[in-house]
Amino acid sequence: MFSQFFINRPIFASVISIILCLAGLASMRALPIEQYPQIVPAVVSVNASYPGATPEVIAETVAAPLEQQINGVENMLYVQSNSSSTGKLALNVYFKVGADPDQATIDVNNRVQAALKTLPEEVQRQGVTVRKRSTAVLSVISVNSPNGLYDRNYLANYSLLNIMDELKRIPGMGDVSMLGGTDYAMRIWLRPDRLAQLRLTPADVVQAVREQNAQFAAGKIGAQPAGREIGFTYTVNAKGRLATPEEFGDIIVRSEPDGAKIRLKDVARVEMGGNDYEVVGARNGKPTVGIVTYLQPNANALQVAQAVRDKMAELKKRFPSGVDYAIPYDTTDFIKVSIDKVVSTLLEATVLVFAIVYLFLQSFRATLIPCIAVPVSLIGTFAGMQLFGFSINLLTLFGMVLAIGIVVDDAIVVLENVERILRETGCSAKEAAIRAMREVSGPVVAIVLVLCAVFLPVAFIDGMTGVMYRQFAVTISISVILSGIVALTLTPALCALLLKPGHHEPARFFVWFNRLFERATARYAGGVDFINRRAALALALFAALLAATFLLFRAVPGSLVPDEDMGNMYVSAALPDAASLTRTIRVTQDFDQILLKHPDIANVTTFNGFDILSGAKLPNSATSFVTLKPWEQRQGQAHGSASVAAWANRQGDSVQSARMRAFTPAPIIGMSATGGLEAYLQDRDGAGPGKLGEATNRLLEAARKRPEFASVSTTLRADVPQKFLDLDREKAKALGVRVDEVFDAMSATFGQLYVNDFNQFGRTYKVQLQSEADFRARPDDIGDVHVRSEDGSMIPLTSLVTVKPSFGPELVDRFNIFGAAKILAQPAPGVSSGQAIAALEETAEQTLGKSFTLAWSGSAFQEKQAGNSGSLAFALGILMVFLILAAQYERWTLPLAVVTSVPFALFGALLAAFVAGKSNDVYFQIGLVTLIGLSAKNAILIVEFAVQKLEEGMNLINAKLDKLNATIGVYKALGGGWEEHG
């Protein structure tokens, strides 16, 4: 017999368990720590710039060709893009969970290269970048100048040169980006009036800069081959690219015949400025530059975050006087609190389980056996987690909490039988252990196989929920397998060493408890006996229970994961259409001070010009990252993030000049921008932004009348006031003016023209051309811009262009190659995400025709994809239990007795969730899968023992009742662990 070897050699059994513990402890130090496993889809971003172009032009000439090429790339889920009035295109390609981001980047880049030649020439000059995008935000670092000594440009470039490169080299760092800051650029601020006086155009300036700011290769003197003997070889150096504003100011734009020269500084102001001025940051009301850090896949979030803090503390020693930093936003704060809470729950559950075991065994020696055996299985599980490439996260730790009750049962099964044989025969502990293992080795192996059969099939479910199931299922299966090994090796050896024959009188408390428990057991057994003798009633009750379980499945709302208080929230500010960035800054400065007065708010970091809802840079939008005080200082639901966000929304209602909206982040970082649902209303017939806006408004109006939504909004604004410049092309040709020169002049005046590059601080920066602010502040300023005709005369643009009022979008979204409007829906309190998804789909079907369709993204897309994966997991688990038991008992009918126990467990869990108002999320489904395994496991014990008694000649009903006492004790031990976790 397998176990007898270890009973005779207890040191050998101990060594196996010690090795398992050492392997687990070593793995525990190496495993990465994160909130969730890698369940966020890989994202590849494509970015392009078309300065001065309208969002519609960018969408049609840049986004559309790129999307047509990229669409259908291997493992793609969907492609989404937005084109903004700042001339920027941000295109994101989302891939299946588990797809290799590096390979995905290569595949997308190949498609982009194929589309590159179809893009406008200016877009090609600016460059199209393709890079994998990390969605796991680790922290936001705020760099500021407390005494106001340094401006935003200095802080931004100091961060780029001295901080960001250092952070990128930290092991586990995925990416580092800047928000509210920008690169240096050589800014040439033109004066159109001076250009007109000197009969110059912006094109003349561009040509002069490109001619005189260029890199030249002059070669070598005396280089081989040479016709005669040469003694020396010299490398020839020449002045190439210019480096300072003074050098650029001395560029000669035109030389007159008399020797006079018109230099760049005569018609423009040259300075070292910022590449753009679209986003302005502030922390607690003071100017700041934000550095956003992202975590590398499978990296240890806590270690990387600590490395960031250490590196910043080291770099601070070299900061100039007047520069400081803070880390107002750190996602690992929530991870640390969550992991600590689960670990404490794990320890508390372990203690409680052992206490209940002692309550029933009533022997310190007997209780010591599971106290030694259970930690071996749990600690050894970490080695298995590392073997499968898992991490320490909420799901794997949740699996270990549930595993406590399972692994303790294997030890109890062995221990109970050894004690029974000792009590009945009076033999030695060693002999009792050998006899007991002959009886229970089969059931222990069967339990391990059945539990693995329940958990492992769910590990093969695809998609994001499949990854979440897999982390839990494999973790708990490893612990079950190790528990079975320990139950066959260490546990019987400990029983032979620690247990003593003979009966000892229990303490008075245990005498009272035993009598009470025996009376309860007798009543329960009587009820079972009553049901066993009335088969028709039992079948009727069972059918009613099945029906009730089915109805509860439909009644309990579904969702992906529960909402969490993550210690922070966002505030989005939206001013009226066409509002300037200056107005936006003024509004957010006031509202930031209102937020800081709340006792639960610690920091407010605001980025004016950045819209978190659309991910675009818009002058009339702003986003605030609000950090709350630590959780221990915010006890109670009234101080939770949802309550603070509700308070902020009430305060925002009083702001007349903007629409302020506060919301908590999505429970899964990187899945979506907000904690609600994201969808796109697609324009399938190409009706245009106007018709799309009308359809979107109809949908929103109908959705807002439904009780399932707290709020429904869109990022589409199809009627933003704009100006249309109507060029009289016939007149332009009659006057000898080229059409392209007209638009080049407008681009250089009202837009931002990229000329070429220059080098400074060991880096390459852009040279940007634009008119001074005073010459592009009003529509009438177009009169100061002139173009040159073929005969050399200067023609004012006002004679060629008519300024007309118009309307159009400031942001154009596309989704899966169709024009689209982004929809943001926040479920009402008590409404699950699944119910909200169904409600919005129903509303869209009722209010929209076939020309417009609703498509989901983010967490809603994943939830729709998951579909009935939970039901599939349950069905697979039950089927595998049935098949394995049929193979073990060589009967098709006997496993039915085990399977019929499953609906009772499901009914109890669903009823509790329904009464408590909980949703059917991933955690709940994991719990249900566990209940399937546990109910089957305990049914196996009863059936196995009943079969043995039946073979011994006992009556069938008595055989079943004879096993109830031990089984009830096992349930008590298990219940203690789960009650503690709940």
Side-chain angles (χ1 to χ4, degrees):
M1 183 182 63
F2 178 77
S3 297
Q4 186 173 353
F5 173 83
F6 298 98
I7 294 172
N8 293 328
R9 302 187 64 180
I11 295 179
F12 194 106
S14 301
V15 167
I16 293 176
S17 296
I18 291 172
I19 291 174
L20 286 175
C21 289
L22 291 175
L25 292 172
S27 300
M28 198 183 303
R29 294 176 56 87
L31 284 170
I33 301 174
E34 52 192 352
Q35 181 187 4
Y36 287 106
Q38 298 300 314
I39 56 177
V40 177
V43 182
V44 176
S45 65
V46 181
N47 293 279
S49 182
Y50 197 173
T54 66
E56 292 173 282
V57 169
I58 297 172
E60 293 171 359
T61 62
V62 185
L66 288 172
E67 289 176 4
Q68 289 168 10
Q69 284 291 340
I70 294 171
N71 185 46
V73 70
E74 187 177 0
N75 291 323
M76 189 190 88
L77 291 177
Y78 52 84
V79 57
Q80 169 270 331
S81 70
N82 65 62
S83 308
S84 70
S85 59
T86 58
K88 299 293 193 299
L89 167 71
L91 187 151
N92 296 307
V93 189
Y94 293 79
F95 291 83
K96 292 180 180 179
V97 176
D100 182 1
D102 294 316
Q103 184 60 48
T105 305
I106 294 172
D107 293 340
V108 171
N109 186 60
N110 291 339
R111 301 289 185 98
V112 169
Q113 295 306 313
L116 207 55
K117 292 300 180 182
T118 64
L119 304 182
E121 183 180 350
E122 181 61 23
V123 176
Q124 297 182 45
R125 287 190 68 248
Q126 295 277 343
V128 179
T129 61
V130 180
R131 59 187 303 180
K132 62 180 178 181
R133 195 183 107 198
S134 177
T135 56
V137 176
L138 184 68
S139 61
V140 175
I141 303 169
S142 170
V143 180
N144 62 342
S145 178
N147 56 9
L149 183 62
Y150 298 105
D151 63 6
R152 166 179 169 268
N153 289 334
Y154 179 88
L155 294 174
N157 281 274
Y158 183 85
S159 300
L160 286 166
L161 295 171
N162 299 283
I163 299 177
M164 293 179 62
D165 287 340
E166 296 281 348
L167 295 178
K168 288 178 180 178
R169 290 194 289 269
I170 293 177
M173 184 66 69
D175 193 16
V176 180
S177 63
M178 180 170 288
L179 193 59
T182 182
D183 285 344
Y184 272 135
M186 191 62 67
R187 302 306 302 251
I188 301 175
W189 302 106
L190 291 177
R191 293 185 57 87
D193 57 342
R194 289 288 295 154
L195 288 174
Q197 291 171 5
L198 297 172
R199 305 180 67 81
L200 293 171
T201 66
D204 297 327
V205 176
V206 171
Q207 183 179 356
V209 174
R210 287 178 178 169
E211 175 196 352
Q212 299 172 50
N213 177 51
Q215 195 64 51
F216 306 105
K220 286 188 176 184
I221 296 175
Q224 296 296 325
R228 57 189 177 86
E229 182 178 348
I230 296 177
F232 299 95
T233 300
Y234 300 97
T235 299
V236 179
N237 292 313
K239 180 67 174 179
R241 284 179 175 174
L242 308 179
T244 65
E246 292 75 18
E247 290 177 346
F248 275 90
D250 288 335
I251 288 177
I252 300 173
V253 179
R254 189 174 69 196
S255 290
E256 302 292 350
D258 60 359
K261 299 178 180 60
I262 300 174
R263 299 183 183 273
L264 183 59
K265 61 186 176 183
D266 298 326
V267 295
R269 178 173 60 90
V270 185
E271 69 169 356
M272 183 86 86
N275 187 51
D276 63 67
Y277 297 84
E278 297 162 353
V279 179
V280 177
R283 183 173 69 89
N284 297 339
K286 297 181 179 180
T288 190
V289 169
I291 300 174
V292 186
T293 63
Y294 298 87
L295 188 68
Q296 196 177 75
N298 297 319
N300 190 320
L302 300 185
Q303 288 184 358
V304 177
Q306 184 59 48
V308 169
R309 288 190 287 269
D310 294 343
K311 177 59 68 174
M312 291 303 300
E314 175 188 336
L315 295 175
K316 185 180 179 180
K317 299 175 183 177
R318 303 200 298 266
F319 281 6
S321 177
V323 176
D324 200 1
Y325 83 96
I327 305 179
Y329 183 82
D330 189 344
T331 58
T332 60
D333 291 339
F334 176 73
I335 297 175
K336 284 185 288 188
V337 171
S338 300
I339 298 295
D340 289 345
K341 183 63 178 175
V342 177
V343 170
S344 65
T345 300
L346 183 64
L347 297 175
E348 292 166 4
T350 304
V351 172
L352 189 55
V353 166
F354 290 156
I356 294 176
V357 169
Y358 180 67
L359 179 65
F360 278 86
L361 297 181
Q362 300 171 11
S363 167
F364 177 77
R365 284 175 172 269
T367 305
L368 190 60
I369 294 172
C371 288
I372 296 174
V374 169
V376 173
S377 303
L378 295 180
I379 296 174
T381 301
F382 287 102
M385 289 165 55
Q386 186 179 33
L387 183 65
F388 284 96
F390 290 175
S391 63
I392 297 176
N393 56 65
L394 296 181
L395 292 170
T396 51
L397 289 178
F398 180 49
M400 296 191 70
V401 171
L402 295 180
I404 295 174
I406 297 175
V407 300
V408 75
D409 188 36
D410 290 333
I412 292 176
V413 169
V414 174
L415 178 61
E416 180 204 38
N417 277 273
V418 174
E419 282 206 321
R420 178 180 57 82
I421 293 173
L422 277 174
R423 187 171 57 253
E424 293 176 355
T425 65
C427 63
S428 65
K430 184 176 181 180
E431 181 63 27
I434 294 173
R435 292 186 185 182
M437 294 310 297
R438 289 196 182 102
E439 295 180 5
V440 302
S441 293
V444 168
V445 173
I447 288 171
V448 172
L449 291 176
V450 167
L451 289 174
C452 290
V454 170
F455 295 123
L456 289 181
V458 304
F460 295 97
I461 296 176
D462 197 14
M464 187 187 76
T465 54
V467 175
M468 300 176 80
Y469 281 132
R470 191 176 305 123
Q471 293 268 322
F472 158 79
V474 175
T475 298
I476 204 168
S477 297
I478 294 170
S479 66
V480 167
I481 293 171
L482 293 180
S483 174
I485 294 173
V486 172
L488 296 175
T489 57
L490 181 64
T491 303
L494 291 176
C495 289
L497 291 174
L498 298 178
L499 297 183
K500 300 294 182 183
H503 178 71
H504 301 281
E505 188 67 27
R508 182 175 301 177
F509 169 78
F510 291 123
V511 172
W512 171 82
F513 174 79
N514 291 339
R515 290 174 181 172
L516 182 65
F517 186 72
E518 287 170 3
R519 285 197 296 269
T521 303
R523 291 178 182 175
Y524 177 71
V528 174
D529 183 51
F530 176 82
I531 291 294
N532 280 337
R533 300 181 188 279
R534 292 161 178 80
L537 176 61
L539 290 175
L541 291 174
F542 185 71
L545 183 118
L546 285 177
T549 303
F550 176 77
L551 292 175
L552 284 171
F553 255 120
R554 297 178 63 88
V556 174
S559 65
L560 188 61
V561 292
D563 291 331
E564 304 274 7
D565 180 354
M566 304 184 72
N568 54 71
M569 66 179 192
Y570 305 136
V571 176
S572 172
L575 273 70
D577 295 331
S580 66
L581 184 61
T582 306
R583 289 175 58 187
T584 304
I585 294 173
R586 189 164 55 247
V587 170
T588 57
Q589 283 177 340
D590 295 339
F591 196 71
D592 285 356
Q593 296 305 314
I594 295 175
L595 292 175
L596 289 169
K597 292 178 182 178
H598 194 283
D600 293 326
I601 292 179
N603 289 288
V604 179
T605 304
T606 300
F607 295 101
N608 299 284
F610 174 68
D611 180 24
I612 191 173
L613 302 180
S614 63
K617 297 177 180 179
L618 300 173
N620 66 324
S621 299
T623 299
S624 296
F625 295 84
V626 182
T627 307
L628 305 182
K629 291 182 179 178
W631 288 268
E632 58 269 17
Q633 300 179 24
R634 299 186 291 110
Q635 299 295 326
Q637 187 175 355
H639 299 279
S641 59
S643 298
V644 178
W647 171 85
N649 280 322
R650 291 193 297 271
Q651 298 299 315
D653 292 339
S654 62
V655 178
Q656 301 297 322
S657 55
R659 186 171 64 88
M660 316 297 294
R661 180 189 172 195
F663 50 89
T664 56
I668 300 177
I669 299 173
M671 184 58 67
S672 59
T674 69
L677 305 176
E678 294 183 5
Y680 286 86
L681 186 62
Q682 293 177 297
D683 177 10
R684 290 275 174 171
D685 289 347
K691 295 292 184 182
L692 178 61
E694 294 174 4
T696 304
N697 290 333
R698 289 200 307 272
L699 176 62
L700 297 186
E701 184 179 353
R704 286 165 182 159
K705 296 177 181 178
R706 300 194 60 136
E708 291 92 346
F709 301 106
S711 65
V712 187
S713 60
T714 181
T715 59
L716 176 64
R717 298 288 182 271
D719 54 356
V720 179
Q722 298 177 346
K723 297 297 179 182
F724 178 74
L725 301 184
D726 188 8
L727 172 65
D728 189 337
R729 296 173 183 252
E730 293 184 0
K731 186 176 181 180
K733 298 303 293 183
L735 294 174
V737 177
R738 292 171 54 92
V739 172
D740 58 344
E741 289 185 1
V742 173
F743 288 104
D744 286 344
M746 288 192 292
S747 176
T749 303
F750 299 102
Q752 181 173 284
L753 184 63
Y754 164 60
V755 182
N756 55 15
D757 303 306
F758 75 103
N759 296 103
Q760 190 69 275
F761 309 120
R763 293 173 180 265
T764 300
Y765 298 102
K766 290 182 178 181
V767 179
Q768 302 279 20
L769 186 71
Q770 194 172 12
S771 289
E772 287 277 16
D774 292 342
F775 294 92
R776 50 184 169 81
R778 297 171 303 277
D780 296 341
D781 290 334
I782 193 173
D784 294 322
V785 183
H786 292 69
V787 290
R788 186 187 300 110
S789 65
E790 291 178 352
D791 61 5
S793 59
M794 302 301 293
I795 309 297
L797 283 188
T798 50
S799 63
L800 301 175
V801 175
T802 304
V803 181
K804 300 178 180 179
S806 67
F807 298 90
E810 287 287 283
L811 181 71
V812 173
D813 281 302
R814 292 173 61 87
F815 189 81
N816 284 345
I817 73 173
F818 290 105
K822 189 174 185 178
I823 307 293
L824 302 167
Q826 194 75 28
V831 177
S832 70
S833 56
Q835 291 173 319
I837 289 173
L840 193 59
E841 287 178 338
E842 181 182 338
T843 305
E845 187 175 347
Q846 294 172 351
T847 57
L848 303 175
K850 296 182 179 179
S851 299
F852 301 96
T853 57
L854 194 67
W856 296 101
S857 66
S859 59
F861 176 86
Q862 296 293 339
E863 189 168 343
K864 288 284 292 182
Q865 281 234 315
N868 60 347
S869 58
S871 301
L872 177 63
F874 306 146
L876 281 174
I878 294 173
L879 177 63
M880 293 305 297
V881 168
F882 178 84
L883 293 177
I884 286 183
L885 291 177
Q888 181 180 1
Y889 293 116
E890 199 59 33
R891 301 182 188 179
W892 290 109
T893 55
L894 196 59
L896 290 175
V898 175
V899 173
T900 52
S901 66
V902 172
F904 291 89
L906 300 183
F907 172 78
L910 288 166
L911 181 62
F914 179 76
V915 172
K918 301 296 183 180
S919 61
N920 181 9
D921 53 40
V922 169
Y923 287 106
F924 182 75
Q925 293 166 11
I926 286 174
L928 290 184
V929 173
T930 306
L931 285 176
I932 292 174
L934 291 172
S935 58
K937 175 185 68 63
N938 286 283
I940 288 171
L941 294 177
I942 296 176
V943 170
E944 177 81 16
F945 196 82
V947 168
Q948 292 180 10
K949 293 298 182 181
L950 188 63
E951 291 174 351
E952 294 173 6
M954 183 179 290
N955 178 274
L956 179 59
I957 293 177
N958 292 335
K960 288 187 289 185
L961 294 177
D962 199 45
K963 188 60 180 174
L964 283 176
N965 189 19
T967 304
I968 292 173
V970 170
Y971 270 118
K972 279 286 187 179
L974 299 177
W978 298 330
E979 181 180 354
E980 174 64 27
H981 182 71

